[in-house]
Amino acid sequence: MPDTVLPQAAQSPLPVRVPLVSEPWGLLKSLQEARRNVLSIIPEIATTQPMVSGKTGKRWHMVMDPQAIREMLLDRLDQYPKSLVTKNLLKPAIGESLFIAEGAHWRWQRRTAAPVFSHRNVSALAPIMSAAAERACDRIAAAGPRAVNLLDEMVTTTFDVIADVTFSGGDTFDRDGVHNAIDSYIAEAGKISLFDILGFPDWVPRPGRVMSGKALKEMKSVADKAIEDRAARGTSAVPDLLDLLLAGEDPKSGRTMSTAELRDNLLTFIVAGHETTALTLAWSMYLVAFDQDVQDRARAEAQSVLQGRAAGAEDVADLPYIRQIVDEALRLYPPAGIVSRTALKKDTLGGREILPGDTVMIPIYALGRSKLLWEDADAFRPERFANRKAIDRYAYLPFGDGPRICIGASFALQEAVIILATLLSRFRFKPVAGRDPEPVMILTLRPEGGVWLTAEAV
């Protein structure tokens, strides 16, 4: 792919990063590396230029210029639909749900689902998030002085949250079964190919991808049963996500979701809400262990606000430094490290010609580490988010932007702040020597090898 080598300047220790491409690769090498880590196909020059273009079987462009990104995601959204990579990987599980649908079919679903994630509804779910955080503290304390894999802990904790806010009161809900089914599906669907990223058609074989129907059937059967049981039982005392979806209707047409549409969107919220928040928290835990000064400041804030009690929705605004840590973790390790679009029309972005059929990527990982946009871009500095108005809106896109911005962003941020504040108020976390995680993106950007930390009660 790229052919420019950039010298690496001597610098103080930095948190782990993906080694980006600094030499030309052929198609075979690119395919091999993309199978191991999708982000490894990003050229190093993407962190020093506003746009990089090339041809690997077909024309592609990587866009890091905020103005050009705005044009793609906001001004000319319909000219840049999601590419085949997203649809090929996720459609078997979540159908034509909100996450995948385009055009009018997407718009009516978005209008129907938007009230589910209103500030009022999200705030009402804070006690569930706090309770899951408390259970995580109990498990960490019970583990004693030995090292704990905080990646596994955060996966368990966020799944507890999404299960409780989705299936509250579901006595027959098989938590372990659906959790295992989701993990199996992500592991299988995540066998991404460079062909997916570049938008090759479906009939081009993807080497090594085996899609098991068992995990999909288990996920869908659990969701179908939950919808049927809830429709028969009626609404919970505090409406959860399923209650709100069942009650939802498009304010323009009055259309409601069919059982299949409800199921697909429910699974979208479960898979996305569980995986991405867990990764955000795992990377946040790695970073606060990496920088003890940051951790001390965050702990002082959390203890001052919480004072030994469970966190509530009203506390989130009083935890600005904890939020800055989450924001910085999302900048350095965005769960969706690269997103891909297909150009439908001839266009110009950043002064460069875009042709119909070109693959146009936003490498969010490189955008967050652009030396043109961020001072000391690879360093962990939460305070850079102290004044969010000073940051270009399209230079920081962990949740996307424009009309298709992640519908659950406020839910995820509230959950992450509550859980992180709870953990830091109870424990001092330190890294385990020789166990640094490796950032590897298959379907999402995961800390390969886990986040191994010791926890000391404070």
Side-chain angles (χ1 to χ4, degrees):
M1 290 177 72
D3 56 6
T4 300
V5 179
L6 289 182
Q8 292 294 313
Q11 47 194 347
S12 58
L14 295 169
V16 294
R17 69 189 293 268
V18 178
L20 303 181
V21 187
S22 57
E23 60 186 15
W25 283 355
L27 179 60
L28 182 59
K29 169 91 168 169
S30 297
L31 280 168
Q32 290 172 337
E33 292 299 320
R35 293 280 295 164
R36 192 191 70 81
N37 188 352
V38 172
L39 297 184
S40 67
I41 69 167
I42 298 176
E44 184 72 46
I45 56 173
T47 64
T48 60
Q49 294 187 12
M51 196 162 173
V52 179
S53 300
K55 188 173 183 180
T56 309
K58 66 179 296 183
R59 283 166 50 100
W60 55 264
H61 313 274
M62 291 188 182
V63 184
M64 289 69 61
D65 174 58
Q67 178 56 36
I69 292 172
R70 175 194 163 94
E71 291 167 14
M72 287 177 60
L73 299 183
L74 183 63
D75 300 338
R76 298 194 286 281
L77 172 69
D78 290 340
Q79 287 184 217
Y80 293 95
K82 293 192 174 186
S83 71
L84 291 175
V85 58
T86 302
K87 296 172 184 177
N88 284 340
L89 293 177
L90 297 178
K91 190 173 180 179
I94 60 177
E96 289 286 341
S97 69
L98 184 63
F99 192 77
I100 287 177
E102 303 284 354
H105 189 49
W106 167 75
R107 290 187 180 90
W108 87 264
Q109 290 187 82
R110 180 80 183 203
R111 290 193 298 264
T112 303
V116 172
F117 293 94
S118 69
H119 177 73
R120 177 184 177 183
N121 287 337
V122 170
S123 295
L125 299 173
I128 292 173
M129 299 170 181
S130 293
E134 297 287 346
R135 290 194 294 273
C137 288
D138 292 343
R139 289 192 299 269
I140 292 170
R146 67 179 178 82
V148 175
N149 184 354
L150 266 293
L151 171 60
D152 289 349
E153 268 302 327
M154 294 302 93
V155 167
T156 298
T157 302
T158 60
F159 186 77
D160 279 354
V161 172
I162 202 68
D164 283 343
V165 303
T166 306
F167 298 118
S168 65
D171 297 332
T172 60
F173 170 49
D174 179 5
R175 284 176 182 255
D176 290 340
V178 74
H179 194 176
N180 292 336
I182 289 172
D183 286 349
S184 297
Y185 177 74
I186 289 172
E188 292 165 356
K191 294 171 183 173
I192 197 167
S193 166
L194 182 66
F195 292 162
D196 293 313
I197 298 224
L198 295 178
F200 278 49
D202 286 346
W203 53 262
V204 177
R206 270 58 170 177
R209 182 179 300 159
V210 178
M211 295 297 290
S212 165
K214 184 180 178 183
L216 295 181
K217 287 178 182 176
E218 289 177 0
M219 288 166 59
K220 291 182 178 183
S221 66
V222 167
D224 283 343
K225 187 174 188 311
I227 291 167
E228 292 166 4
D229 289 350
R230 185 61 56 81
R233 175 169 66 84
T235 304
S236 310
V238 177
D240 62 16
L241 294 188
L242 182 50
D243 290 324
L244 295 166
L245 277 174
L246 279 164
E249 66 176 40
D250 179 3
K252 284 194 174 183
S253 66
R255 180 177 175 180
T256 59
M257 291 187 186
S258 66
T259 298
E261 288 164 340
L262 280 167
R263 178 195 64 211
D264 289 344
N265 279 291
L266 193 63
L267 289 173
T268 297
F269 299 148
I270 292 171
V271 174
H274 157 53
E275 171 84 355
T276 57
T277 311
L279 294 178
T280 300
L281 281 161
W283 284 117
S284 296
M285 295 304 301
Y286 160 72
L287 288 167
V288 296
F290 174 84
D291 190 326
Q292 293 290 312
D293 290 340
V294 167
Q295 187 178 158
D296 288 343
R297 179 177 168 185
R299 180 177 302 103
E301 178 181 83
Q303 290 178 335
S304 173
V305 171
L306 301 183
Q307 297 184 348
R309 60 175 174 77
E314 68 281 359
D315 296 315
V316 173
D318 296 325
L319 295 163
Y321 193 62
I322 303 273
R323 168 65 189 271
Q324 289 166 35
I325 291 171
V326 173
D327 289 336
E328 180 75 336
L330 285 166
R331 180 185 72 85
L332 290 169
Y333 307 106
I338 185 167
V339 296
S340 188
R341 300 286 189 266
T342 300
L344 296 184
K345 299 179 181 179
K346 187 174 181 179
D347 196 9
T348 300
L349 285 175
R352 196 160 301 187
E353 183 181 53
I354 308 295
L355 299 178
D358 283 2
T359 296
V360 186
M361 293 170 268
I362 305 173
I364 296 175
Y365 180 84
L367 180 71
R369 293 170 182 266
S370 170
K371 295 173 177 59
L372 302 178
L373 301 172
W374 304 95
E375 181 183 347
D376 208 3
D378 287 321
F380 173 48
R381 289 173 43 191
E383 62 274 11
R384 71 174 86 236
F385 285 94
N387 179 10
R388 294 187 60 83
K389 292 181 179 178
I391 296 171
D392 189 309
R393 182 169 179 172
Y394 289 87
Y396 177 69
L397 296 170
F399 298 104
D401 209 285
R404 297 200 72 138
I405 190 170
C406 173
I407 197 170
S410 61
F411 178 98
L413 288 169
Q414 174 179 291
E415 179 182 11
V417 169
I418 284 174
I419 293 172
L420 186 58
T422 302
L423 291 172
L424 292 179
S425 71
R426 305 288 183 83
F427 301 99
R428 175 180 299 280
F429 295 94
K430 294 182 179 179
V432 176
R435 296 297 296 270
D436 284 350
E438 179 187 3
V440 174
M441 180 179 168
I442 306 297
L443 192 61
T444 48
L445 180 52
R446 300 177 67 90
E448 189 78 11
V451 176
W452 288 91
L453 307 176
T454 59
E456 176 187 346
V458 293

